[in-house]
Amino acid sequence: LYAWSPAYDQRIARVDGFLVTHLCGSLGCSYIYPAGQGDVAPVIRAMERDAAERDKPFRMVCLTPRQVEEMEALFPGEFHFEADRDGFDYLYEIDRLADLTGKKLHAKRNHIHRLDEAYPGWDWTPMTQADIAPCLAMDAAWHQEALTREAAEGGLSTLDDEHRALVLALENREALGLDGIVLRWQEEILGFTLGALLTENVFDVHFERARGDIQGAYPAVNRSFARYIREKYPQVRYLDREDDMGLPGLRKAKESYYPDYLEVNFSAVEIRCDLTSRPKTEG
């Protein structure tokens, strides 16, 4: 929420002990399912009234199947639910990414062999505070090269938003509880990655950067981070590499690792009716 706030103009509020989030993205202005414990129905009604006051459709995004079931049970027939393919999370068994076993991942192993040949002795270390400045410099260079490439290819870019989010995450790494590694050859940074525990057995990979001009850098930072997480958090079973935002190149890259599971996310839009005739819920 913090790192991506500038991109989505996010606003948060506390309602009856729940965290409520309002944001504006590709689907328009929306809300995230309230986070908290207790009776969620009055909180959703408060969000509904807030949308009405803004004269906007009441839309919720990033809903899990369980949350969809809960909403339908609480408000039967009041919402239209739709799977958001661009927002599906890609989950991979950590051992498969750490060891790159099997024929399907043979190409990834070959790319890393090319890195071994061109940059013998490359290595990785856990990210420390001393790494922040050089990682920021590497990302700035990566960002400019990517902008130049995308300008030549045309199309709508999300690079600026991601760059700002990554800068905020790096600058506030310790406060946000983010963990990462840095890939190096001699003193040169070849890549880095950053993430955090999502649940007890799922680790979320928030950001990944690597030198696109160096063959094997991306597979190497991916595999190295999986090995680091497996050793540091032995209870983790899956790496969540998040969604592809509907970007063809990103989708192709994430599918090339053959995800073990796609976490389906839904959006919900209220089937509009006269809110003034609906009884108010206390709270």
Side-chain angles (χ1 to χ4, degrees):
L1 288 176
Y2 174 75
W4 286 92
S5 284
Y8 297 111
D9 190 26
Q10 293 177 150
R11 297 290 184 269
I12 62 173
R14 186 188 299 273
V15 181
D16 293 349
F18 284 79
L19 172 68
V20 174
T21 306
H22 178 270
L23 70 158
C24 296
S26 60
L27 295 178
C29 291
S30 312
Y31 300 81
I32 295 177
Y33 198 83
Q37 299 293 326
D39 185 5
V40 74
V43 183
I44 293 177
R45 287 299 191 211
M47 296 159 62
E48 182 183 43
R49 292 193 296 272
D50 183 72
E53 291 170 3
R54 298 171 184 266
D55 196 26
K56 298 291 185 181
F58 178 37
R59 179 187 293 107
M60 300 179 69
V61 294
C62 304
L63 296 168
T64 67
R66 181 190 63 79
Q67 290 166 345
V68 169
E69 290 178 6
E70 188 170 30
M71 285 187 65
E72 185 58 29
L74 290 171
F75 314 108
E78 292 188 24
F79 291 89
H80 170 71
F81 300 99
E82 187 171 338
D84 176 17
R85 176 61 183 87
D86 294 348
F88 286 12
D89 280 39
Y90 291 73
L91 273 72
Y92 308 81
E93 286 193 356
I94 192 168
D95 288 338
R96 218 163 49 78
L97 291 194
D99 301 324
L100 295 179
T101 54
K103 291 183 178 179
K104 290 182 177 180
L105 298 177
H106 177 72
K108 306 298 182 186
R109 297 194 298 273
N110 278 346
H111 286 313
I112 296 176
H113 290 327
R114 301 290 84 78
L115 182 68
D116 295 337
E117 294 169 354
Y119 295 84
W122 68 265
D123 201 1
W124 61 270
T125 56
M127 185 180 290
T128 68
Q129 202 60 24
D131 295 317
I132 301 305
C135 283
L136 285 169
M138 184 251 178
D139 176 63
W142 184 98
H143 179 63
Q144 287 303 315
E145 291 173 3
L147 282 177
T148 301
R149 184 171 61 253
E150 285 208 350
E153 296 172 355
L156 182 64
S157 176
T158 61
L159 289 170
D160 286 337
D161 289 340
E162 186 182 18
H163 173 63
R164 283 190 290 265
L166 177 52
V167 168
L168 282 173
L170 282 170
E171 290 178 342
N172 299 276
R173 183 186 66 89
E174 291 183 337
L176 295 173
L178 299 175
D179 208 345
I181 65 166
V182 180
L183 199 75
R184 285 188 178 86
W185 180 69
Q186 299 178 358
E187 295 301 315
E188 182 180 0
I189 292 182
L190 305 183
F192 64 88
T193 188
L194 203 60
L197 281 170
L198 184 62
T199 68
E200 182 180 353
N201 64 356
V202 178
F203 192 96
D204 192 329
V205 183
H206 292 303
F207 299 99
E208 184 179 83
R209 283 285 185 269
R211 289 275 300 278
D213 59 324
I214 296 178
Q215 186 178 7
Y218 268 109
V221 76
N222 188 320
R223 186 188 69 179
S224 300
F225 196 45
R227 291 180 174 182
Y228 171 65
I229 297 304
R230 183 171 63 178
E231 180 178 350
K232 185 171 181 179
Y233 305 95
Q235 79 280 10
V236 168
R237 183 180 176 187
Y238 291 101
L239 289 180
D240 182 347
R241 294 181 56 78
E242 300 190 347
D243 59 76
D244 59 37
M245 300 184 290
L247 300 175
L250 192 55
R251 180 168 297 183
K252 181 179 178 181
K254 296 195 176 190
E255 288 179 341
S256 71
Y257 279 93
Y258 301 94
D260 294 286
Y261 180 67
L262 287 177
E263 176 66 30
V264 180
N265 290 309
F266 292 85
S267 62
V269 179
E270 179 192 29
I271 300 172
R272 295 307 297 262
C273 60
D274 184 5
L275 297 182
T276 60
S277 65
R278 182 173 293 166
K280 290 186 176 181
T281 306
E282 295 296 329

